[in-house]
Amino acid sequence: MPSAPKLALESIQASALSIPFKAAFKHASAERAATQSLWVQCRSRDGLAGYGEGCPREYVTAESLASAQGFVGAHLHDWLAAFHDLDSLAAWVRQHGAEIDRHPAAWTAVELAFLDLAGKHSGKSIEALLALPELKGRFQYTAVIGDAAAAQFEAQLAHYLKAGFRDFKIKLSGDLARDGDKVRLLGAAGVSPQRVRADANNLWRSAEQASHDLRSLEFPFFALEEPLQAGDYAGLRRLAQALDTKIILDESLLRAAQLDELVGFSERCIVNLRVSKMGGLLRSLELAREIRSRGLGLVVGAHVGETSVLTRAALAVAHSARDSLIAQEGAFGTHLLSRDVTESPIMFGAGGVLDAERAAFAGKPGLGLVVTHAP
């Protein structure tokens, strides 16, 4: 049987994507009321289009929308000539790792757009294209509550509990009275500390101060996410031992090589893998395989304001690493966004569950999404 003709790119276009939220979301590093995303469209000469998204964040990877667009502009002509199948894309990733490290969100948008297009060109889903298991089964998402005053926090908690959520992630502020209100409300609602992860977004500058403040809350969280300054592995080791807790690494783990920094306390470590932070789906899958081989736990996370495009990409990672998966975040769709980019947003339902076997996108070519509201 003859192979399909090579994919010939006609254009790669990048633009900013801004969609208002239904309500602002706040944490220690930022407050956001709209998406901050780079949107990329790849078109082939046979009239097909693929779509990708990345979320540049100054406080995570030092990227801005301007730097992301500049990165795409600098490489545009090379990509148009070089990319014609999965092998050529993967070769570019291997040869330009340092550049992707500096522009992970920008590259994510380009890579996803090309993979979406390549899947449509070949008639294969993203999973089939990458030799992954096709999506099936249910995905359980975490309820995420931003840094809110007590009344708003209580209302959001009640909403999630009524919807049947089991696992929670809360944002800490560093204000002990404000954070104390949050844990008291969780306790009053009957939520076990072992069902709650606390994200501090790099609040404290020393393990000792973090330990003092967290002990005062008298709420032994299941795990602490980024309590110290990014990359303070020695401090994280001390804090994990002092509080006998697990540490979730997000800003402190931007590439696979940093796993070597966890020697000596890796059994206490969980990695928050966000596709846009890691520099694309190919690198995310590679990191997930390395995490599994080292016996670490994995959270497949999300940036606030991701659309269904990044949600769809993250599902491929989560499904391929179910045996290491501690939790999954995201899939807010129009629960948070005033609109999504797709005809049918990918979002969790009752209890935070997304059933892939009932989803219209599963098994469809590329990402399987019908994009109707792109810029």
Side-chain angles (χ1 to χ4, degrees):
M1 183 176 179
S3 60
K6 295 281 188 182
L7 194 162
L9 282 176
E10 180 177 80
S11 64
I12 299 174
Q13 297 177 320
S15 57
L17 175 66
S18 181
I19 299 173
F21 293 172
K22 291 180 175 177
F25 187 92
K26 181 182 179 183
H27 57 71
S29 297
E31 182 170 3
R32 201 167 296 285
T35 61
Q36 180 182 312
S37 298
L38 181 73
W39 182 259
V40 171
Q41 178 183 232
C42 285
R43 284 199 171 272
S44 63
R45 292 176 190 169
D46 56 4
L48 296 173
Y51 303 97
E53 173 192 12
C55 295
R57 296 289 185 266
E58 291 87 346
Y59 53 88
V60 178
T61 59
E63 291 177 279
S64 65
L65 278 171
S67 72
Q69 288 176 300
F71 172 75
V72 175
H75 293 283
L76 180 61
H77 295 295
D78 290 341
W79 292 337
L80 288 171
F83 296 164
H84 49 78
D85 58 13
L86 180 59
D87 288 343
S88 57
L89 182 81
W92 202 91
V93 172
R94 289 192 301 271
Q95 294 162 11
H96 296 81
E99 287 180 82
I100 295 174
D101 287 345
R102 293 192 296 272
H103 305 279
W107 171 249
T108 296
V110 174
E111 182 191 89
L112 288 180
F114 183 82
L115 289 173
D116 186 30
L117 178 60
K120 292 171 180 175
H121 177 77
S122 63
K124 296 179 178 180
S125 68
I126 285 290
E127 286 74 21
L129 190 70
L130 300 176
L132 301 172
E134 290 286 0
L135 290 184
K136 64 179 181 179
R138 292 152 64 91
F139 295 85
Q140 178 74 55
Y141 285 85
T142 296
V144 181
I145 307 179
D147 176 27
Q152 185 181 357
F153 185 94
E154 185 175 23
Q156 291 178 12
L157 175 60
H159 173 77
Y160 279 125
L161 288 169
K162 184 178 180 181
F165 278 81
R166 303 198 306 258
D167 298 300
F168 297 83
K169 172 175 168 176
I170 70 167
K171 298 286 189 173
L172 298 179
S173 68
D175 180 327
L176 293 182
R178 186 182 181 94
D179 292 336
D181 287 339
K182 296 168 189 172
V183 298
R184 281 191 289 275
L185 288 166
L186 287 164
V191 178
S192 166
Q194 289 303 296
R195 289 288 188 179
V196 184
R197 309 190 301 279
D199 187 358
N201 289 99
N202 313 110
L203 264 175
W204 288 281
R205 296 201 171 268
S206 77
E208 292 69 31
Q209 187 63 52
S211 177
H212 173 272
D213 291 353
L214 288 162
R215 285 184 193 278
S216 73
L217 294 177
E218 298 182 343
F219 195 85
F221 297 106
F222 169 72
L224 301 171
E225 182 166 341
E226 289 294 336
L228 305 180
Q229 301 303 289
D232 183 2
Y233 303 108
L236 290 171
R237 183 182 295 107
R238 295 198 305 276
L239 184 61
Q241 292 169 347
L243 297 180
D244 189 23
T245 192
K246 293 186 179 296
I247 298 293
I248 301 175
L249 300 138
D250 186 0
E251 290 86 355
S252 294
L253 208 142
L254 304 178
R255 55 196 66 92
Q258 290 173 309
L259 291 172
D260 292 337
E261 301 286 349
L262 311 182
V263 173
F265 79 122
S266 60
E267 72 282 355
R268 294 184 180 272
C269 293
I270 299 167
V271 176
N272 185 336
L273 187 163
R274 296 189 275 180
V275 173
S276 179
K277 177 190 75 169
M278 295 313 307
L281 186 52
L282 298 184
R283 293 192 0 158
S284 293
L285 290 166
E286 179 185 2
L287 176 63
R289 287 190 289 268
E290 185 64 23
I291 287 169
R292 294 171 71 196
S293 73
R294 296 183 185 221
L296 278 68
L298 174 66
V299 172
V300 174
H303 292 287
V304 176
E306 290 183 0
T307 75
S308 289
V309 169
L310 275 168
T311 299
R312 173 66 181 90
L315 282 167
V317 180
H319 188 51
S320 72
R322 280 190 184 269
D323 55 350
S324 299
L325 195 62
I326 302 293
Q328 199 165 354
E329 299 165 5
F332 278 90
T334 53
H335 294 309
L336 175 64
L337 304 178
S338 59
R339 62 176 176 84
D340 206 326
V341 296
T342 63
E343 190 174 73
S344 300
I346 303 176
M347 50 202 287
F348 54 72
V353 172
L354 188 156
D355 190 340
E357 291 172 35
R358 294 186 177 183
F361 57 83
K364 298 290 179 62
L367 295 172
L369 305 177
V370 178
V371 172
T372 55
H373 300 294

